[in-house]
Amino acid sequence: MTDTAARYVAAIDQGTTSSRCIVFDHDGAVVAVDQREHRQIFPRPGWVEHDATEIWAKVRAVLAGATAKAGLRADQISALGITNQRETTVLWDRATGKPVHNAIVWQDTRTAALCRELGGSAGQDRFRERTGLPLASYFSGPKAAWLLDHVPGLRARAERGEIAFGTIDSWLIWNLTGGTDGGRHVTDVTNAGRTMLMNLETLQWDPSILSAMNLPEAMLPEIRSSAEVYGAAVGPLPGVPVASALGDQQAAVFGQACYDVGTAKNTYGTGSFLLLNTGGRPVPSKNGLLTTMGYKIGAETPVYCLEGSIAITGALVQWFRDQLGIIRTADEIETLAASVDDNGGAYVVPAFSGLFAPYWRSDARGVVTGLTRYVTKAHLARAVLEATSWQTREVVDAMFQDSGVRITALKVDGGMTKNALLMQHQADVLGVPVIRPRVSETTCLGAAYAAGLATGVWNGLDELKAHWRRDAEWTPSMTDSVREREYRNWRRAVEKSLGWVQDGEG
């Protein structure tokens, strides 16, 4: 491709709190960004909703905004990719294009009782063998079932084929490709895999699960690969191929060029999501992880991942700053922690509302252990940072136990990766290099890469790997004996956090 005008790719990142559009050039560098927040709607305790119409309006706005900031016309953009908050569920009327209810967000817990009912005597693992997922209010299928049961007349309309179901990627692709005037009703394997309705082996909707949840197949989108042309855009980017869809964590895997078995990435935000590429087979988890799609490029073999979710990482630093007032800004924790050589024997387990992977213990609560008169606020600062490293180590260990795959390095992204002390400790406790990329917008970059692959902007995964540039790398310097001693102490601290909440307590 010699025409440089066609070497730009746009990516939409439709997240939980905002929508962004980033335009990338052929080297994968950021050309322009536009971002808009949308409302969070809380009708009742535990319920979280979004207005899907508002989200679509914000997406149109950021598409136009980023293109204008880049100084580009639509015909200079060769492809458009999408990455999105996963599990958030929209049902809309095919004839009017209007949602029949607010979108139910992934954080929403209203389906907890329905999930228990669906589990029956089999419990939360009833569908795990086929879907890789436990029955939980997190996933989309039960959210759709709840809407059919609670919006008057909706089930009959859905059975007649008048209603469309989708995660946010489906809603955006349908609107981007024409909506009521020929919009394409599709999803990709990574998003379909988070509905708890897709069979991980066949990559199709599972009829027995649809029957169990009483969901009519007529409302479901067609499952497609993560990188192919779904249709041509209308609106702000007329004629541009809409050519990729990836759930946000899978898009980060793709943007981090984790294309080989054993490559892994960890995204450090409020919590952390660690995904390990396990290759062309789904690996069942017996150690508290999710088996999930990684990506599927066109007609190529699908790639699977194990995923470990950690509830509290960056949020622990916020607690240290806001609730304890020991630091004024999040960045100050690194300077304070670096003023001492170790944690002074103190450990902080941030089980503020239970522990996620690999424990899944809602009865756990946060603890600080190992305190003596020797311990200062600097030692506590260090223990706060180390909690993120140790939680990540536990997920990596669970991944090895499930898959037999040892990670060779950990690619990292997210806000906490600015903290060099934390990244060094992460490398030390894992015993492998920790690598931060030059382009920090890995989620959007992954969606752009997939769309560019589908449209010939890039020629294959080897070319994308060559684009990936390291910004910084930390190599292990801790001795084996110190690492294992500290890990034993961490595990003892975790034990102290378990069983804190008794039946009937909050």
Side-chain angles (χ1 to χ4, degrees), residues 46-324:
W47 291 27
V48 190
E49 297 178 353
H50 291 157
D51 178 346
T53 303
E54 180 191 6
I55 284 176
W56 169 230
K58 296 292 171 76
V59 165
R60 286 200 311 274
V62 297
L63 274 172
T67 310
K69 287 179 183 178
L72 296 172
R73 302 181 311 273
D75 62 4
Q76 294 174 287
I77 308 258
S78 54
L80 175 62
I82 295 169
T83 181
N84 55 286
Q85 53 168 322
R86 303 178 301 178
E87 298 94 19
T88 295
T89 302
V90 192
L91 268 61
W92 68 95
D93 186 306
R94 294 180 189 271
T96 66
K98 291 180 178 171
V100 298
H101 189 278
N102 281 336
I104 302 181
V105 178
W106 59 272
Q107 300 155 313
D108 189 287
T109 59
R110 77 185 67 182
T111 59
L114 174 59
C115 288
R116 285 193 296 274
E117 184 184 317
L118 283 166
S121 59
Q124 70 172 182
D125 287 341
R126 179 180 176 187
F127 307 125
R128 189 190 276 270
E129 189 177 336
R130 280 168 284 166
T131 67
L133 309 174
L135 261 164
S137 59
Y138 189 15
F139 304 110
S140 315
K143 298 182 196 299
W146 188 95
L147 286 168
L148 293 187
D149 288 339
H150 288 83
V151 176
L154 188 58
R155 181 172 295 283
R157 293 167 65 200
E159 287 170 351
R160 290 195 299 268
E162 296 169 11
I163 301 299
F165 156 85
T167 42
I168 293 292
D169 59 305
S170 293
W171 168 243
L172 294 182
I173 292 167
W174 188 79
N175 280 294
L176 282 164
T177 57
T180 55
D181 186 17
R184 306 296 170 85
H185 188 208
V186 300
T187 189
D188 94 297
V189 291
T190 68
N191 282 292
R194 308 297 287 203
T195 62
M196 211 161 45
L197 304 173
M198 187 187 82
N199 186 301
L200 276 179
E201 298 278 358
T202 66
L203 306 187
Q204 297 299 321
W205 303 119
D206 190 292
S208 64
I209 300 176
L210 294 180
S211 175
M213 293 196 197
N214 199 14
L215 292 172
E217 192 162 0
M219 66 193 279
L220 300 179
E222 180 188 355
I223 299 175
R224 305 278 284 273
S225 80
S226 312
E228 62 177 274
V229 177
Y230 308 127
V234 299
L237 293 179
V240 175
V242 180
S244 76
L246 289 150
D248 53 9
Q249 299 305 324
Q250 285 91 344
V253 166
F254 207 74
Q256 283 276 36
C258 293
Y259 307 138
D260 299 320
V261 173
T263 51
K265 72 90 197 171
N266 199 16
T267 299
Y268 298 80
T270 302
S272 291
F273 293 90
L274 200 157
L275 276 78
L276 168 74
N277 183 326
T278 59
R281 63 191 177 97
V283 175
S285 178
K286 295 180 171 60
N287 294 282
L289 306 175
L290 303 178
T291 304
T292 197
M293 292 302 308
Y295 55 85
K296 185 177 188 299
I297 304 303
E300 293 177 17
T301 303
V303 170
Y304 296 87
C305 289
L306 282 170
E307 177 174 328
S309 312
I310 303 168
I312 302 290
T313 53
L316 182 59
V317 176
Q318 293 169 340
W319 170 80
F320 197 67
R321 178 192 67 197
D322 300 340
Q323 265 75 10
L324 299 191

Side-chain angles (χ1 to χ4, degrees), residues 40 99 166 189 238 490:
Q40 307 296 308
V189 291
W490 166 259

